[in-house]
Amino acid sequence: MEKANINALQLFFLMLLFDLGSAILVPLATGAKQDAWIAILLAMFISFILLLVYNKLYLYYPSMLPTEYMQKIMGRVIGKLFAFMYILYFIYAAARVLRDFGEMLLTFAYPDTPLFIANALLMTVVIYLVSKGIEVMGRSAQLLFFLMYALAISGFILVICSGLIDFKNLQPTLEEGLLPVLKVVFTGSLYFPFGESIVFIMILPYLNNPKKAKLTMLCANGLTGINLAIVMIINISVSGVDLTVRSYFPLLTTIQSIQVAGFLERLDVYFMIALVVGGFFKIGLFFYAAVVGTANLFKIKSPSQLPYYLGIITLFYSIILSRNFMEHLYEGVIIDPFFLQIPLFIIIPFLLIIVAFFKNRKRENHQ
């Protein structure tokens, strides 16, 4: 385990940038149509339960990485299997987000650039950041958070000034009742982006004050949910339900509609900066968790070269994981929730917390 630590504020910034990451880029909860923002807020509140489970596991074993305490809880064989499954998932998730942002850059800025080149440039920076350690990542998040929010606030002001918002597009509210919204929550919105916060079980052992972990995570997820709900309200208000649902990147579609005073327009490059910052940290944290977990699980004594090897694997996997962007989105929306996210975000953590609870209670009774 790396000899480093971060404070609660840095953890908050890392979580917020991570959670927003690709979530502000791709269509989110659009299965609920004009009620997408309600689905996001409901998913946010339900995700607090998952965060409390992750935090409780951390408090049981505050000085251990999950790759260690999974073996302590479930035994050597099953624990190692669980740990290896999470490492594979973190590599897969890093590759997926890398593909998201590579496709976005090609679509809106560099249409003649090969996808491999765009992904390789972004992955090179991620590898460099991860090789510097969690403290550098925490300080970078603290710095870039304010840049991202300055761009977001200015964009919100410009959308209002351009007169594009029509709140009638949000009506009627709950036209088909609450059931379709709940279906969207439990088949997608709960897991992406909120459930992905499970990556922070690999980061929490570096927190210098374990008592602040719970409040920090809840506040970060809460602010993320509010931000994403506002983004979807703006997207639907500006573009309408049909265009928002059909768009690969609805926020950028909204941004391209901005026109103020007849000359301030075509601001997509300006806002792509904010999107790339979020994506950069999302890829970086998934990748960092994979590197740290691999080094710990396989007892690699000199892991300094590990980011380069895993980085090459992640880069090539981001290219081959799907044949086109439509297939990529289908896998993320239809396949991942049931085959990856529900087992890894809900079933295994709840199994771990139940076993850990009885083991720790038994230990306390013997003392």
Side-chain angles (χ1 to χ4, degrees), residues 99 103 115 318-329 331:
R99 179 66 176 265
E103 293 281 2
L115 178 63
S318 73
I319 303 298
I320 66 172
L321 64 83
S322 54
R323 288 171 293 184
N324 53 60
F325 196 55
M326 282 293 293
E327 183 179 293
H328 175 72
L329 289 177
E331 290 173 359

Side-chain angles (χ1 to χ4, degrees), residues 43 50 89 185-197 337 341-342 345-346:
L50 300 181
Y89 172 73
V185 170
F186 287 104
T187 57
S189 302
L190 177 59
Y191 318 116
F192 174 77
F194 301 107
E196 291 180 330
S197 295
Q341 294 167 348
I342 291 177
F345 298 174
I346 297 178

Side-chain angles (χ1 to χ4, degrees), residues 166-361:
D166 183 3
F167 288 116
K168 291 180 180 179
N169 290 331
L170 295 169
Q171 298 173 353
T173 304
L174 297 176
E175 181 181 14
E176 299 176 9
L178 190 59
L179 192 59
V181 175
L182 290 174
K183 181 180 177 181
V184 170
V185 170
F186 287 104
T187 57
S189 302
L190 177 59
Y191 318 116
F192 174 77
F194 301 107
E196 291 180 330
S197 295
I198 197 169
V199 73
F200 285 92
I201 62 174
M202 300 294 295
I203 311 297
L204 289 176
Y206 299 106
L207 186 63
N208 60 8
N209 189 344
K211 294 180 181 179
K212 294 184 178 180
K214 179 169 70 174
L215 181 61
T216 302
M217 290 195 296
L218 292 176
C219 288
N221 255 33
L223 186 55
T224 296
I226 293 170
N227 287 339
L228 292 175
I230 291 172
V231 168
M232 285 309 299
I233 287 172
I234 292 173
N235 287 339
I236 295 171
S237 299
V238 171
S239 303
V241 174
D242 292 339
L243 183 57
T244 301
V245 170
R246 293 198 309 270
S247 177
Y248 290 156
F249 309 111
L251 179 59
L252 285 175
T253 302
T254 299
I255 291 165
Q256 288 181 323
S257 304
I258 294 175
Q259 185 175 14
V260 180
F263 73 93
L264 192 58
E265 56 184 9
R266 297 295 300 170
L267 299 173
D268 37 316
V269 175
Y270 173 72
F271 290 100
M272 277 170 58
I273 297 171
L275 297 174
V276 170
V277 168
F280 171 68
F281 279 99
K282 189 152 194 173
I283 299 165
L285 286 164
F286 272 132
F287 185 64
Y288 179 83
V291 170
V292 171
T294 302
N296 182 265
L297 181 63
F298 296 102
K299 309 298 181 186
I300 299 174
K301 295 181 179 179
S302 300
S304 57
Q305 299 300 313
L306 194 57
Y308 301 99
Y309 300 135
L310 290 183
I312 293 172
I313 293 171
T314 303
L315 172 60
F316 279 96
Y317 190 46
S318 73
I319 303 298
I320 66 172
L321 64 83
S322 54
R323 288 171 293 184
N324 53 60
F325 196 55
M326 282 293 293
E327 183 179 293
H328 175 72
L329 289 177
Y330 175 82
E331 290 173 359
V333 174
I334 304 299
I335 297 175
D336 285 2
F338 299 100
F339 292 97
L340 292 176
Q341 294 167 348
I342 291 177
L344 295 175
F345 298 174
I346 297 178
I347 297 174
I348 292 178
F350 273 88
L351 175 62
L352 290 172
I353 197 67
I354 291 169
V355 177
F357 171 77
F358 285 109
K359 281 194 171 186
N360 280 272
R361 191 173 71 168

Side-chain angles (χ1 to χ4, degrees), residues 68-125:
E68 294 174 292
Y69 68 62
M70 285 179 186
Q71 297 177 55
K72 196 174 184 68
I73 294 171
M74 301 301 298
R76 186 178 180 86
V77 176
I78 297 177
K80 279 193 171 184
L81 176 62
F82 281 176
F84 187 61
M85 287 167 58
Y86 278 99
I87 290 169
L88 291 179
Y89 172 73
F90 293 146
I91 293 173
Y92 168 77
R96 280 200 63 85
V97 181
L98 182 61
R99 179 66 176 265
D100 285 337
F101 281 85
E103 293 281 2
M104 184 268 293
L105 290 171
L106 265 59
T107 301
F108 287 92
Y110 310 106
D112 297 324
T113 302
L115 178 63
F116 178 83
I117 299 300
N119 287 9
L121 290 173
L122 188 54
M123 196 64 212
T124 300
V125 182

